[in-house]
Amino acid sequence: MTKANNHLKVLEDEGIFIMREVAAQFERPVLLFSGGKDSICMFHLALKAFHPGNIPFPLMHVDTGHNFPETIEFRDNLVEKHGVDLIVGSVQESIDKGRVKEETGPDASRNALQTVTLLDTLKEHQVDAAIGGGRRDEEKARAKERFFSHRDVFGQWDPKNQRPELWNLFNGRKNPGESFRIFPLSNWTEMDVWQYIAQEEIEIPTIYYAHKRKVFNRRGVWLADTEFVNRQDDEVVVEKTVRFRTIGDATCTGAVLSGASSLQEIIEEVSAARQTERGNRHDDKRSETAMEDRKRQGYF
């Protein structure tokens, strides 16, 4: 076993251990699944953790209604292939019920609206632990997380009120109404995720590979030309060869110009990148503390 593979084995063993701890300590956990590479890796770890049995918790997807079609197709195929339960929380339903208000303007997005939908869906299904794919190299707010991240009765996060985690001892005790977000990929990097996907030959949505797509440039970010985006008159649509480093709401997830059409080419591209994968997310640029503000409100 090479040094690189040994590193991935350590991360894999840690993730599998955490999955089993969640199943042991909580009554109604779910695995948050977006169809992105991190949630796909988590699903793969869960398959390994409970093999040859079934994954003992459902997947949960918060659907903005503005997803890339490749992502939804991949999600539905995976659910059918493995026979797992899927819970879908709909932002459109939250809007219809008056729980949230649709944004307007050129930068309108449903990404921030996911928080209310997520909290409502967790409450409806009485979820006490939601497993998420956050990594500490993504964004500075996520570096403050624990593996077992405590949430109060309102589903909100207080970075100063978290449990110590020593020697892989995870404290899942909670008062009625409280819950946890679990982050088994905390010690992973984007490069680790791609190397693991290549090593395990894990299937991923085609949108991650280079392809031709109609896009336009908005303040240095290439956005896909979809029916959901409020494109301005001076924003010219062109066809480019692009791929996506991260998958999210189509209104705020930017593409990168790339010819990487294989996992090895993606790994080489990521190794040379000087910007994080979330550098092309418009929702993270609304303020310097955009992610932390949303996390305090209950997002992810």
Side-chain angles (χ1 to χ4, degrees), residues 112-166:
L113 307 186
Q114 293 181 86
T115 299
V116 171
T117 305
L118 171 61
L119 293 177
D120 286 352
T121 308
L122 292 174
K123 182 178 181 180
E124 177 186 351
H125 294 273
Q126 301 176 33
V127 173
D128 55 0
I131 307 169
R135 308 186 322 268
R136 289 175 183 166
D137 71 321
E138 282 184 272
E139 203 276 342
K140 57 186 179 183
R142 291 185 175 174
K144 299 179 181 180
E145 289 284 15
R146 302 289 195 271
F147 284 99
F148 278 33
S149 183
H150 177 265
R151 296 296 195 271
D152 64 18
V153 294
F154 301 105
Q156 297 177 338
W157 172 69
D158 179 359
K160 297 180 180 179
N161 185 29
Q162 299 297 319
R163 314 287 174 76
E165 293 180 339
L166 306 174

Side-chain angles (χ1 to χ4, degrees), residues 2-3 71 98 135 280:
T2 66
K3 184 177 180 180
T71 307
R135 308 186 322 268
N280 280 328

Side-chain angles (χ1 to χ4, degrees), residues 35-37 40 70-71 74-75 203-209 247:
K37 63 184 182 305
I40 293 170
E70 296 94 331
T71 307
F74 181 90
R75 180 201 70 183
E203 185 179 359
I204 57 175
T206 56
I207 198 170
Y208 277 118
Y209 298 106
I247 292 179

Side-chain angles (χ1 to χ4, degrees), residues 236-253:
V236 180
V237 174
V238 295
E239 186 175 77
K240 296 281 188 179
T241 300
V242 301
R243 72 176 194 86
F244 290 84
R245 289 178 69 184
T246 180
I247 292 179
D249 191 290
T251 60
C252 59
T253 304

Side-chain angles (χ1 to χ4, degrees), residues 105-233:
D107 290 323
S109 172
R110 289 185 174 182
N111 206 53
L113 307 186
Q114 293 181 86
T115 299
V116 171
T117 305
L118 171 61
L119 293 177
D120 286 352
T121 308
L122 292 174
K123 182 178 181 180
E124 177 186 351
H125 294 273
Q126 301 176 33
V127 173
D128 55 0
I131 307 169
R135 308 186 322 268
R136 289 175 183 166
D137 71 321
E138 282 184 272
E139 203 276 342
K140 57 186 179 183
R142 291 185 175 174
K144 299 179 181 180
E145 289 284 15
R146 302 289 195 271
F147 284 99
F148 278 33
S149 183
H150 177 265
R151 296 296 195 271
D152 64 18
V153 294
F154 301 105
Q156 297 177 338
W157 172 69
D158 179 359
K160 297 180 180 179
N161 185 29
Q162 299 297 319
R163 314 287 174 76
E165 293 180 339
L166 306 174
W167 306 293
N168 284 342
L169 297 176
F170 302 116
N171 182 358
R173 293 183 179 181
K174 55 185 175 54
N175 295 316
E178 297 177 344
S179 62
F180 280 82
R181 305 292 172 84
I182 313 296
F183 298 104
L185 304 185
S186 287
N187 286 331
W188 297 53
T189 66
E190 183 187 9
M191 178 62 76
D192 294 328
V193 169
W194 283 119
Q195 289 180 334
Y196 187 70
I197 288 172
Q199 173 185 286
E200 299 292 303
E201 299 181 342
I202 300 173
E203 185 179 359
I204 57 175
T206 56
I207 198 170
Y208 277 118
Y209 298 106
H211 59 283
K212 291 187 180 298
R213 185 178 292 264
K214 291 183 178 180
V215 295
F216 63 93
N217 194 287
R218 174 175 292 174
R219 297 190 293 277
V221 176
W222 291 102
L223 292 176
D225 182 40
T226 71
E227 60 182 306
F228 314 123
V229 180
N230 297 325
R231 184 168 54 83
Q232 302 302 289
D233 293 338

